[in-house]
Amino acid sequence: MQIEFKKVPFSKKNFQINYNLVNFEGTFCKMSQELVKIEATISGTLETICSRCGKDINLTLNENIELIVSDGVYSSDEDTELDIVETYDGILDFDDILNGELESIKSDYHICTECMGDSQMLEKEF
Ligand SMILES: [Zn+2]
């Protein structure tokens, strides 16, 4: 799903997209001509691999995200703790944003239940 920056309203609008088994839904609205705020939930199941043994695992997602999409380089002087996503073609692309979020979730450390069992046994041995 894509929407042109200039068509994004200043009042909150709902959106919802699905990607495989992942559901991405929430609201978006303009904060200024160049900035759009997204408040959303990512839920569902994401396939990834165990960081230790490489086995396929399914992560159950339930993440609240809040981020700002900037049309062009983000140049506000205001400090923000929100994640900033910059885009350069004047398009707000929800699929891109979701993919970015999923990649960052995948890059976290995830281990399968077997490896989890291993490390618990190791801890008991010590
Ligand atoms: Zn494993």
Side-chain angles (χ1 to χ4, degrees):
M1 183 178 136
Q2 295 184 336
I3 182 167
E4 282 178 67
F5 252 85
K6 58 183 180 201
K7 290 185 181 162
V8 176
F10 278 91
S11 55
K12 281 186 182 178
K13 254 193 110 168
N14 293 311
F15 73 93
Q16 195 262 326
I17 61 170
N18 287 302
Y19 173 75
N20 295 336
L21 297 169
V22 176
N23 182 49
F24 183 37
E25 71 177 306
T27 61
F28 65 102
C29 65
K30 249 184 195 166
M31 299 166 69
S32 71
Q33 285 309 324
E34 296 83 31
L35 300 177
V36 169
K37 186 175 182 182
I38 295 180
E39 292 172 291
T41 311
I42 297 177
S43 58
T45 304
L46 178 67
E47 289 180 0
T48 186
I49 55 168
C50 174
S51 303
R52 273 180 71 177
C53 69
K55 210 175 108 176
D56 290 336
I57 47 175
N58 288 325
L59 294 177
T60 302
L61 303 179
N62 196 1
E63 309 256 331
N64 288 316
I65 63 160
E66 229 181 314
L67 53 85
I68 289 173
V69 185
S70 171
D71 183 18
V73 177
Y74 181 73
S75 60
S76 174
D77 293 332
E78 280 175 58
D79 275 341
T80 175
E81 294 188 350
L82 301 181
D83 285 342
I84 311 289
V85 177
E86 291 174 349
T87 177
Y88 302 99
D89 50 13
I91 303 277
L92 184 61
D93 187 332
F94 289 92
D95 302 284
D96 255 19
I97 291 162
L98 176 58
N99 271 318
E101 291 298 316
L102 294 181
E103 285 308 313
S104 87
I105 293 169
K106 278 188 188 178
S107 68
D108 286 345
Y109 187 73
H110 302 290
I111 59 173
C112 69
T113 45
E114 279 168 44
C115 291
M116 229 179 266
D118 275 3
S119 59
Q120 273 164 8
M121 273 165 64
L122 280 176
E123 277 164 28
K124 276 179 199 159
E125 280 169 25
F126 281 112

